[in-house]
Amino acid sequence: MTENAGAKYGGAPGSRGRTTIADVVVEKIAGMAARDVLGVHALGSGFARSMGSMRERMPGAGSGKSVTRGVGVEVGELQAAIDLEIVVDYGVSITDVAGAVRENVISAVERMAGREVVEVNITVSDVKLPDEEDEEDEEDEREERRRIQ
């Protein structure tokens, strides 16, 4: 009786072949994980969010908000490095939010993509003040007014 039947055919099925993970997959995982942290208002600079908002309204330019806006990655076979640009809500501790973002992103990427995250660099590009309207909200209101007229 053979103890490891998989060895007869070249090893366990899970070890036969190679898995390649595209950079965009890691970008999406990191973007979603960063957005899940309380105190993160948005990802990307104000300009990037404005351009993304305009792109989302163009027919055929893709649907929904870009999960990868404000996220950059370098992915190797075993490791990944991630750069994030975030906007935080006014009143939160930026250092606490950045630490929570790092923890959440590292956990998600390592668990889902199986890549060791060697660094998560965070740039805080803006603070969302309580009385500021989002550029995206303003665009939504203008679009709604155009539809009504």
Side-chain angles (χ1 to χ4, degrees):
M1 184 169 175
T2 307
E3 287 185 2
N4 186 357
K8 178 179 175 184
Y9 300 104
S15 66
R16 295 183 201 171
R18 202 172 87 191
T19 303
T20 303
I21 299 174
D23 290 5
V24 70
V25 173
V26 176
E27 286 175 350
K28 287 181 178 183
I29 293 168
M32 290 299 293
R35 282 179 175 79
D36 283 346
V37 174
L38 190 63
V40 173
H41 177 75
L43 266 66
S45 66
F47 178 73
R49 291 193 323 271
S50 295
M51 293 305 294
S53 179
M54 288 180 0
R55 247 190 325 273
E56 289 160 11
R57 288 176 171 71
M58 293 173 56
S63 60
K65 295 183 179 186
S66 175
V67 177
T68 61
R69 185 182 311 141
V71 182
V73 300
E74 290 182 32
V75 182
E77 287 187 32
L78 301 173
Q79 297 178 324
I82 301 166
D83 295 318
L84 299 169
E85 186 172 2
I86 66 173
V87 177
V88 297
D89 292 320
Y90 177 79
V92 300
S93 166
I94 294 173
T95 55
D96 289 350
V97 169
V101 166
R102 271 191 192 89
E103 287 180 27
N104 213 32
V105 167
I106 290 169
S107 174
V109 170
E110 289 183 348
R111 179 176 49 83
M112 295 170 72
R115 300 297 184 268
E116 176 192 11
V117 178
V118 294
E119 64 182 7
V120 177
N121 300 309
I122 299 172
T123 300
V124 179
S125 62
D126 202 357
V127 173
K128 168 67 171 75
L129 300 176
D131 59 345
E132 283 182 333
E133 261 193 64
D134 283 339
E135 294 164 359
E136 293 170 3
D137 290 343
E138 290 173 11
E139 287 294 322
D140 289 342
E141 287 176 19
R142 285 187 209 120
E143 186 65 30
E144 185 63 30
R145 280 188 229 126
R146 278 188 224 123
R147 274 190 244 135
I148 293 172
Q149 292 175 350

Coordinates of all heavy atoms in Angstrom, one line a residue, residues 60-95:
G60 N -18.6 53.7 -22.5 CA -17.6 52.7 -22.9 C -16.3 52.8 -22.2 O -15.3 52.1 -22.5
A61 N -16.2 53.7 -21.2 CA -14.9 53.9 -20.5 C -14.8 53.0 -19.2 O -14.0 53.2 -18.4 CB -14.7 55.3 -20.1
G62 N -15.7 52.0 -19.1 CA -15.7 51.2 -17.9 C -16.8 51.6 -17.0 O -17.4 52.6 -17.2
S63 N -17.1 50.7 -16.1 CA -18.3 51.0 -15.2 C -17.8 51.1 -13.8 O -16.9 50.4 -13.3 CB -19.3 49.9 -15.4 OG -18.7 48.6 -15.0
G64 N -18.5 51.9 -13.0 CA -18.2 52.0 -11.6 C -16.9 52.8 -11.3 O -16.2 53.1 -12.1
K65 N -16.7 53.0 -10.0 CA -15.6 53.7 -9.5 C -14.4 52.8 -9.6 O -14.4 51.6 -9.4 CB -15.8 54.1 -8.1 CG -16.9 55.2 -7.9 CD -17.0 55.7 -6.5 CE -18.1 56.7 -6.5 NZ -18.3 57.3 -5.3
S66 N -13.3 53.4 -10.0 CA -12.0 52.6 -10.2 C -11.5 52.2 -8.8 O -11.1 53.1 -8.0 CB -11.0 53.4 -10.9 OG -9.8 52.7 -11.0
V67 N -11.4 50.9 -8.6 CA -10.9 50.4 -7.3 C -9.4 50.7 -7.2 O -8.9 50.7 -6.1 CB -11.2 48.9 -7.2 CG1 -10.6 48.3 -5.9 CG2 -12.7 48.7 -7.2
T68 N -8.7 50.8 -8.3 CA -7.3 50.9 -8.3 C -6.8 52.4 -8.3 O -5.6 52.6 -8.3 CB -6.7 50.2 -9.5 OG1 -7.2 50.8 -10.7 CG2 -7.0 48.7 -9.5
R69 N -7.7 53.3 -8.3 CA -7.3 54.8 -8.2 C -6.5 55.0 -7.0 O -7.0 54.6 -5.9 CB -8.5 55.6 -8.3 CG -8.2 57.1 -8.4 CD -9.4 58.0 -8.4 NE -10.4 57.6 -9.3 CZ -11.7 57.6 -9.2 NH1 -12.2 58.0 -8.0 NH2 -12.5 57.2 -10.1
G70 N -5.4 55.6 -7.1 CA -4.6 55.9 -5.9 C -3.7 54.7 -5.4 O -3.1 54.8 -4.3
V71 N -3.7 53.6 -6.2 CA -2.9 52.4 -5.8 C -1.9 52.1 -6.8 O -2.2 52.1 -8.0 CB -3.9 51.2 -5.6 CG1 -3.1 50.0 -5.2 CG2 -5.0 51.5 -4.7
G72 N -0.7 51.9 -6.4 CA 0.4 51.4 -7.3 C 1.1 50.2 -6.7 O 1.2 50.2 -5.4
V73 N 1.4 49.2 -7.5 CA 2.1 48.1 -6.9 C 3.2 47.6 -7.8 O 3.3 47.9 -9.0 CB 1.1 46.9 -6.8 CG1 -0.1 47.2 -5.9 CG2 0.6 46.4 -8.1
E74 N 4.1 46.9 -7.2 CA 5.2 46.2 -7.9 C 5.1 44.8 -7.3 O 5.2 44.5 -6.1 CB 6.6 46.7 -7.6 CG 6.8 48.1 -8.2 CD 8.2 48.6 -7.9 OE1 9.1 47.8 -7.8 OE2 8.4 49.8 -7.8
V75 N 4.8 43.8 -8.2 CA 4.5 42.4 -7.8 C 5.6 41.5 -8.4 O 5.8 41.5 -9.6 CB 3.1 42.0 -8.2 CG1 2.9 40.5 -7.7 CG2 2.1 42.9 -7.6
G76 N 6.2 40.8 -7.6 CA 7.2 39.8 -8.0 C 6.6 38.4 -7.8 O 5.4 38.2 -7.5
E77 N 7.4 37.4 -8.0 CA 6.9 36.0 -7.8 C 6.5 35.7 -6.4 O 5.6 34.9 -6.1 CB 7.9 35.0 -8.3 CG 8.0 35.0 -9.8 CD 8.9 33.8 -10.3 OE1 9.0 32.8 -9.7 OE2 9.6 34.1 -11.3
L78 N 7.3 36.3 -5.4 CA 7.0 36.0 -4.0 C 6.7 37.2 -3.1 O 6.2 37.1 -2.0 CB 8.3 35.3 -3.4 CG 8.7 34.0 -4.1 CD1 10.1 33.6 -3.5 CD2 7.7 33.0 -3.9
Q79 N 7.0 38.4 -3.6 CA 6.8 39.6 -2.8 C 6.0 40.7 -3.6 O 6.0 40.7 -4.8 CB 8.1 40.2 -2.4 CG 8.9 39.2 -1.5 CD 10.3 39.8 -1.2 OE1 10.9 40.4 -1.9 NE2 10.7 39.5 0.1
A80 N 5.5 41.7 -2.8 CA 4.8 42.8 -3.4 C 5.2 44.1 -2.6 O 5.3 44.0 -1.4 CB 3.3 42.6 -3.4
A81 N 5.3 45.2 -3.3 CA 5.4 46.5 -2.7 C 4.3 47.4 -3.1 O 3.9 47.3 -4.3 CB 6.8 47.1 -3.1
I82 N 3.7 48.1 -2.2 CA 2.4 48.8 -2.5 C 2.6 50.3 -2.2 O 3.1 50.6 -1.1 CB 1.3 48.2 -1.8 CG1 1.1 46.7 -2.2 CG2 0.0 49.0 -2.0 CD1 0.2 45.9 -1.3
D83 N 2.1 51.2 -3.1 CA 2.1 52.6 -2.8 C 0.6 53.0 -2.8 O -0.1 52.7 -3.8 CB 2.8 53.4 -3.9 CG 4.3 53.1 -3.9 OD1 4.9 53.0 -2.8 OD2 4.9 52.9 -4.9
L84 N 0.2 53.8 -1.8 CA -1.2 54.2 -1.7 C -1.2 55.8 -1.5 O -0.4 56.3 -0.8 CB -1.9 53.6 -0.5 CG -2.0 52.1 -0.5 CD1 -2.5 51.6 0.9 CD2 -3.0 51.7 -1.6
E85 N -2.2 56.4 -2.2 CA -2.4 57.8 -2.0 C -3.8 57.9 -1.4 O -4.8 57.5 -2.1 CB -2.3 58.6 -3.3 CG -2.4 60.1 -3.1 CD -2.1 60.8 -4.3 OE1 -1.8 60.2 -5.4 OE2 -2.1 62.1 -4.3
I86 N -4.0 58.5 -0.2 CA -5.3 58.5 0.5 C -5.7 59.9 0.9 O -4.9 60.8 1.0 CB -5.3 57.6 1.7 CG1 -4.4 58.1 2.8 CG2 -5.0 56.1 1.3 CD1 -4.5 57.3 4.1
V87 N -7.0 60.0 1.0 CA -7.6 61.2 1.6 C -8.2 60.8 2.9 O -9.0 59.8 2.9 CB -8.6 61.8 0.6 CG1 -9.3 63.0 1.3 CG2 -8.0 62.2 -0.7
V88 N -7.9 61.5 4.0 CA -8.5 61.1 5.3 C -9.6 62.0 5.7 O -9.6 63.2 5.3 CB -7.4 61.0 6.4 CG1 -6.4 59.9 6.1 CG2 -6.7 62.3 6.6
D89 N -10.5 61.6 6.5 CA -11.5 62.4 7.1 C -10.9 63.3 8.2 O -10.0 62.9 8.9 CB -12.6 61.5 7.8 CG -13.4 60.8 6.8 OD1 -13.7 61.3 5.7 OD2 -13.7 59.6 7.0
Y90 N -11.4 64.6 8.2 CA -10.9 65.5 9.2 C -11.2 65.0 10.6 O -12.3 64.4 10.9 CB -11.6 66.9 9.0 CG -11.2 67.9 10.1 CD1 -10.0 68.5 10.0 CD2 -12.0 68.1 11.2 CE1 -9.6 69.4 11.0 CE2 -11.6 69.0 12.2 CZ -10.4 69.6 12.1 OH -10.0 70.5 13.1
G91 N -10.3 65.1 11.5 CA -10.5 64.8 12.9 C -9.9 63.4 13.3 O -9.8 63.2 14.5
V92 N -9.6 62.6 12.4 CA -9.0 61.3 12.7 C -7.5 61.5 12.9 O -6.9 62.4 12.4 CB -9.3 60.3 11.6 CG1 -10.8 60.1 11.5 CG2 -8.6 60.6 10.3
S93 N -6.9 60.6 13.6 CA -5.4 60.5 13.8 C -4.8 59.9 12.5 O -5.1 58.8 12.1 CB -5.0 59.7 14.9 OG -3.6 59.4 14.9
I94 N -4.1 60.8 11.7 CA -3.6 60.3 10.5 C -2.6 59.1 10.7 O -2.6 58.2 9.9 CB -2.9 61.5 9.7 CG1 -3.9 62.5 9.3 CG2 -2.1 61.0 8.5 CD1 -3.4 63.8 8.7
T95 N -1.8 59.2 11.7 CA -0.9 58.1 12.0 C -1.6 56.8 12.3 O -1.2 55.7 11.9 CB 0.1 58.4 13.1 OG1 -0.6 58.8 14.2 CG2 1.1 59.5 12.6

